[in-house]
Amino acid sequence: MKRRSFVQASLALGTLGGTLSMVGCASTGTLPAKAKVVVIGGGYGGATAAKYVRMLSNYQIDVVLVEPNDSFISCPISNLVIGGSKTMGDITTPYDNLKGKHGVIHARDRVTSIDAAKKTVTLGGGATIGYDKLIVSPGIDMLWNSIEGLQAASASGQILQAWKAGPETLALRRQLEAMPDGGVYAITVPLAPYRCPPGPYERASQVASYFKKAKPKSKVLILDANPDVTSKGPLFKKFWADNYKDILEFRPNHKAIAVDAKSKAVKFETESDVKADVLNVLPDMSAGSIAMTSDLANVNKRWCNVNYLTFESTAAKDVHVIGDSVLAAPLMPKSGHMANSHGKVVAAAVVAQLSGMDVNPHPLLTNTCYSFVNDKLVVHVASVHQYVAAEKTFKTVPGSGGVSAAPNELEGIYAWNWAQNIWADTLL
Amino acid sequence: MRLKSPFVAMLLSGIAATAASAATPKDTINLHQRALAAMCANCHGTEGRTTDGSAIPSLAGMPREYMVAQMKAFREGTRPATVMHQLSKGLTEEQVQSVSTYFSNIKR
């Protein structure tokens, strides 16, 4: 074959690539024995990585996405389902387009083990898939042992977390609906780092907003292991003081150590026990379970260290870890937007490496995180993170980023439009 | 649908191998530019195309000089914004030029 440009070859493959993607149509039970890229986890990180490996390779590199669910349910905006102004349908998007439009092979399964030496993953259903590059985006897992009694109380449905959007999101909403007026909802916040720094405060605000309208004699308690609100603190605290003064109470330095599901009580390291009608107890968190069991979580056996230029694990060659499981660089939040950004950097790096190109030495990450303080008003935090070669990490660009001046309705509109656009960017 | 012929598989891997070795410096520049522009897509849509009726503007097909001027206005505070005055300060002049060029060449 004579000299042929990358783009021309890619175009030639357009039709064939589409055919190839159907070979492993998971709904027929047929999966390829090998794919150039396998992605574990279809959240903001993994789904974005799968789509962008396809796009950035001009649909030349085949991708298998291993994700047990048929639809993506968004954590961002899920607090509004708990507050009652949005529904599960509003935050749910099927994975169909990743296959139909982008030719990603969707394996409806979980990865049970990774063999980094043989470069294979084994699925719960028994299939083994080889890879050239593995992208691991498993989100977070609960460290149940950090709070005595919590795992059993969670399994029985008595004390929920609802920190992975899904059935628990709705179950928590139902508990709040069933709670009599005059009751207490308490959320405990673990020590940072945890998934979605402002999430607990947004959720408490949503519940307070609901109580103010529907159950005005009820109370919201935030029992925080941290010494202060960990994200957007001044904005949240001012809004609470101005709007939820007699409803919401914030108590810092409350590190939960045990729960009793029967008496609906939480015990703390130093402070007195607290009882509540609806308990929402968040334990410490770690990298997702497949990262833990495959020894990718090599920082305190909790988070995954990576080469930030490519997100390749420092524990295993050709295995890249992204999203909440990654040991965060300074001021890098564990957020959906950030995971989507990771997904693009890793996609570009993997496409470059598989195509004989240089990896971008100056990757950039953005983050915009909106929090609803009631059903309409929103505050944000935004940041831009650049790779600093001398320190081999991402750092925020000096002078960039910031927060809202005050809660406002315009950002409420932008926040909802942000959600629509990032869901489309991740999945459609 | 199953892959019918080993010949097709051979053909595919052959083309893929050729493509990999044929990547030119321009391909690399294009990949990096496209990945940088993808950082705008979280809010402004894949390839700068937002969802229908979005309050956030599409960037696809936006004239290059206009976008460069808007980014400058955001940075200098002459155009009011909710987040763009903060995010625009995170890009170098070269990066602004690069993403503006990229989106101006995308069909609306």
Side-chain angles (χ1 to χ4, degrees), chain A residues 1 4 6 9 13 16 22-23 30 51-52 55-56 58 60 337 340-341 344-345 348 352 355 357-360 364 366 368 380 383-384 397 399-403 411 414 417-418 420-422 425, chain B residues 1-3 8 11-12 15-16 18-24 27-28 31-32 34-36 38-39 41-47 49-51 53-56 82-83 85-87 89-91 95:
Chain A
M1 194 181 278
R4 177 195 278 267
F6 180 69
L13 263 169
L16 293 170
M22 295 188 71
V23 174
T30 313
K51 171 177 161 177
Y52 273 84
M55 278 180 52
L56 295 178
N58 295 317
Q60 188 178 347
H337 193 117
N340 169 295
S341 293
K344 290 162 180 172
V345 171
S355 310
M357 297 189 230
D358 290 336
V359 169
N360 182 5
L364 199 70
T366 56
T368 307
H380 82 264
S383 51
V384 182
V397 179
S400 72
V403 297
E411 289 199 61
Y414 282 139
N417 282 272
W418 165 86
Q420 308 291 310
N421 283 306
I422 199 167
D425 186 41
Chain B
M1 188 172 166
R2 294 183 61 88
L3 195 57
V8 177
L11 182 73
L12 283 172
I15 292 172
T18 308
S21 60
T24 65
D27 293 328
T28 305
L31 174 69
H32 295 177
R34 203 173 171 191
L36 177 67
M39 285 302 146
N42 313 40
C43 300
H44 291 276
T46 302
E47 299 286 43
R49 297 187 189 104
T50 53
T51 54
S54 175
I56 301 171
T82 52
V83 296
H85 59 306
Q86 296 163 347
L87 293 174
K89 289 174 188 150
L91 274 71
Q95 287 169 328

Side-chain angles (χ1 to χ4, degrees), chain A residues 193-416:
Chain A
Y194 56 88
R195 162 178 279 181
C196 190
Y201 314 111
E202 182 192 56
R203 179 170 297 178
S205 303
Q206 285 301 308
V207 176
S209 175
Y210 166 60
F211 284 173
K212 193 173 177 175
K213 276 182 254 174
K215 302 184 180 188
K217 288 181 260 172
S218 308
K219 302 275 179 236
V220 173
L221 285 180
I222 305 173
L223 305 161
D224 199 329
N226 298 286
D228 204 348
V229 174
T230 57
S231 177
K232 307 171 191 168
L235 288 164
F236 275 119
K237 287 197 282 190
K238 180 164 190 323
F239 192 82
W240 295 339
D242 293 346
N243 296 274
Y244 304 138
K245 190 169 177 292
D246 300 318
I247 297 174
L248 187 150
E249 187 187 338
F250 174 74
R251 296 183 190 167
N253 301 312
H254 275 64
K255 184 169 165 43
I257 54 165
V259 292
D260 182 56
K262 255 188 200 159
S263 61
K264 292 187 178 170
V266 189
K267 285 185 186 303
F268 298 92
E269 205 169 56
T270 51
E271 307 294 324
S272 317
D273 297 2
V274 171
K275 285 190 178 185
D277 300 275
V278 176
L279 274 175
N280 187 184
V281 176
L282 303 176
D284 288 342
M285 296 170 199
S286 72
S289 62
I290 188 64
M292 300 289 278
T293 56
S294 54
D295 297 328
L296 296 171
N298 54 355
V299 182
N300 301 327
K301 293 186 178 169
R302 194 168 167 195
W303 305 111
C304 304
N305 202 0
V306 295
N307 168 358
Y308 288 107
L309 202 55
T310 59
F311 285 86
E312 186 175 28
S313 166
T314 57
K317 196 175 178 314
D318 294 319
V319 178
H320 301 247
V321 187
I322 57 169
D324 291 348
S325 284
V326 168
L327 171 72
L331 300 175
M332 179 188 283
K334 296 188 183 300
S335 75
H337 193 117
M338 182 53 72
N340 169 295
S341 293
H342 288 181
K344 290 162 180 172
V345 171
V346 81
V350 160
V351 168
Q353 290 173 332
L354 290 177
S355 310
M357 297 189 230
D358 290 336
V359 169
N360 182 5
H362 306 293
L364 199 70
L365 301 165
T366 56
N367 186 65
T368 307
C369 163
Y370 294 102
S371 299
F372 282 81
V373 291
N374 62 18
D375 56 354
K376 288 198 174 63
L377 300 176
V378 158
V379 292
H380 82 264
V381 57
S383 51
V384 182
H385 307 248
Q386 63 182 349
Y387 183 74
V388 179
E391 299 176 57
K392 294 185 175 174
T393 192
F394 278 99
K395 290 186 126 180
T396 52
V397 179
S400 72
V403 297
S404 310
N408 64 91
E409 215 163 310
L410 179 60
E411 289 199 61
I413 294 165
Y414 282 139
W416 179 240

Side-chain angles (χ1 to χ4, degrees), chain B residues 47-77:
Chain B
E47 299 286 43
R49 297 187 189 104
T50 53
T51 54
D52 288 345
S54 175
I56 301 171
S58 287
L59 302 176
M62 187 176 276
R64 183 175 173 281
E65 294 312 319
Y66 176 80
M67 186 164 162
V68 170
Q70 296 315 303
M71 290 293 278
K72 185 165 180 279
F74 284 134
R75 273 206 305 273
E76 293 174 355

Side-chain angles (χ1 to χ4, degrees), chain A residues 28-50:
Chain A
T28 64
T30 313
L31 285 171
K34 158 90 197 291
K36 277 199 183 320
V37 174
V38 172
V39 180
I40 302 177
Y44 279 95
T48 302

